[in-house]
Each structure stands twice: as structure tokens, then as C-alpha cells.
Amino acid sequence: MPDAPAPSAQGQLRLLACDLAVRAGHLISEGRLRGVGAVDTKSSATDMVTAFDRASEALIVEALRLHRPDDAIIGEEGTADTGTSGVRWLIDPIDGTTNFLYGLPGYAVSIAAADNLGTLAGAVFVPATDELFSAARGEGATLNGAAIHCSSTSALPHALLATGFSYDADRRRQQMSRLQHIIGDIRDIRRCGAAAVDLCNVASGRVDAYFEEHLGPWDLAAGELIATEAGCRSGDLSGGPVRPTQVLVTNAQLFEPMRSLLAHADTLCRTTD
Ligand code: IPD
Ligand code: CA
Ligand code: CA
């Protein structure tokens, strides 16, 4: 048997992201068995942070500083290291903190590495199901090592849409009011509680589409690469590139019908406000 080829530069970043996501995931899931510990709030009374969010970020950041000392690192819980290499890491140490707090299984660790062209590599680890999703730019997406692909649903009435809500009360109301204009046109809606897991669910065909607004860059980066490497299309509602403030990810056939349905719902909300 010939030796396997050495991983590409982005393949090496993927391996590191995977290793750290799994290590941090075990830290938080094993810690959770002993209780949630101290809980504080952040941007609003519903936006919570636990000692485990901070411990997970600390584990990941310490390892990145050791292995990739010239890279920039941005973590949701406050890390903001500048770098000189042109690579920056985006870390969500627990995506789905509300699920984590309540003992629900839908939480993950999300880690991405990006350059000025976009995301290079990403890993999302879901401890409760022991599922590791990952991708590297141009190299496909996998779940526990096996290639994944998005669904082929092309008709809106058959489309299962995942979504989420901001922690800001006014934005939540707006987001909920848009949903009433689309719920009659699609199969159903899911609110799983972790954006990175939602994106991986689109990547693996477990839902057909995901739409959310007002995310952080750490929510989006790894999962969006995993989804697009699994055949998905991503963008905003105006036909522009995806951005954390407006994220639509679906399979290629469903993108345009779903985009236009959501954009129409947005117009209806604005006229009935
Ligand atoms: C949140 C989750 C949630 C989404 C929110 C995110 P957090 O992240 O991904 O599903 O609806 O917009 O902020 O706070 O649990 O890391
Ligand atoms: Ca998050
Ligand atoms: Ca988080």
C-alpha cells in the first residue's frame, strides 16, 4: 500500500481543529455530569455564560498559542489575539449554551481557521452524540470520517427549515413574526439551539435549510464551510455573500425558492409593523 499523501496546509489546520474540538468537548460534557457550576449573563438576561464556556475556550486558546503562535485568535468569551501569519482562528467554546445549561444534548464546540479568502478549515464536535463534523476548503466535509452531503429536497412544501433567535428581545420578536409568514409554505420548522449544529445538520441532510440573523462570526465559520463543502449553497437574502448578520444555507436547488420566500416574508413583516 502506498503511503497516504501528507495533508495540505488547510488539511493540517483541520486536523488541529478536530483534535481541539474533541478535547474541549470532552472537558465540557464530562464536567456537565457534575453540574453546571457558576452561571453569568452577558448581552441580555437570556444570554448566559458558564464556567465551562470559559474553561473550553481556555483549553483551545492555550493549545493554539502553543502550536500556532503567529496566528490571530478570536474567541466568543473574550480572546482577541492579533497575529502575523494571515491565519485567524474563530472559536465558539460552547455553541448552544442554553441546551448545555438545561442538560439538553444539542450543544457543540466549534473551531474554524480562516484567511483573507474565507474559512480554510473547521470542526464542530457534538459530545452528546460523539459526532465530529469537519471540512477543509476544497477537500469535502465529513462526519466521523465519512463523507457527507446535503439533501436533494427541491420543493418548498417538502423543506424542513432550521432557525434560531437572537438574545435581543426586539430582534426575537421580529424573527418570530417573520416565521408566521412562511410556516404555511414549508414542511416545518426546527429550533435546535446551536447554530453550528444547525449548519452541520444541513450539511448532512438532516434538515433541508437553515436561516438565522445576528450571529457571531464564531457561530458561522466552521459550520458554513462544512455545509458548502457538503454541497450546500450559502448567501444572504439580497443575493449577496453570507455574513453573520444574515445566513441562509440550503442545498443548491432550494436556495432560490427559500431566499425569495424569506425575503417576501420580510417585506410583509415590515408593512404590517
Ligand atoms: C447561540 C446558538 C443559538 C442561536 C444564537 C446563538 P450560544 O449561540 O447558536 O442556536 O440561535 O443566535 O447566539 O450563545 O449558545 O453560543
Ligand atoms: Ca454560538
Ligand atoms: Ca457560545
Side-chain angles (χ1 to χ4, degrees), residues 149-210:
H149 207 274
C150 55
S151 77
S152 56
T153 310
S154 57
L156 281 174
H158 299 158
L160 187 59
L161 173 72
T163 192
F165 302 107
S166 160
Y167 290 116
D168 176 88
D170 287 336
R171 285 177 170 169
R172 293 162 82 80
R173 286 192 195 99
Q174 253 172 27
Q175 289 168 325
M176 183 54 101
S177 96
R178 188 192 280 122
L179 296 182
Q180 71 182 318
H181 296 292
I182 67 165
I183 186 74
D185 296 284
I186 61 175
R187 190 189 294 275
D188 209 345
I189 289 172
R190 293 289 178 270
R191 197 290 193 248
C192 300
V197 181
D198 287 324
L199 288 159
C200 292
N201 284 342
V202 188
S204 53
R206 291 172 177 173
V207 295
D208 301 304
Y210 167 66

Side-chain angles (χ1 to χ4, degrees), residues 258-271:
M258 190 61 88
R259 188 202 65 73
S260 111
L261 181 70
L262 286 160
H264 181 60
D266 202 38
T267 313
L268 289 175
C269 285
R270 286 174 204 284
T271 52

Side-chain angles (χ1 to χ4, degrees), residues 23-71:
R23 279 166 54 192
H26 287 154
L27 174 87
I28 59 178
S29 61
E30 284 158 24
R32 181 67 185 80
L33 297 175
R34 298 188 292 274
V36 279
V39 183
D40 294 326
T41 55
K42 297 194 287 181
S43 64
S44 76
T46 51
D47 184 5
M48 289 156 306
V49 58
T50 70
F52 291 104
D53 295 75
R54 297 191 178 108
S56 173
E57 184 158 316
L59 180 155
I60 297 161
V61 168
E62 190 185 328
L64 288 176
R65 285 178 182 155
L66 185 69
H67 294 289
R68 306 277 315 178
D70 300 327
D71 295 354

Side-chain angles (χ1 to χ4, degrees), residues 42 53 76-77 92-97 218-219:
K42 297 194 287 181
D53 295 75
E76 185 186 3
E77 305 312 337
D92 193 337
I94 302 183
D95 184 40
T97 293
W218 41 78
D219 293 310

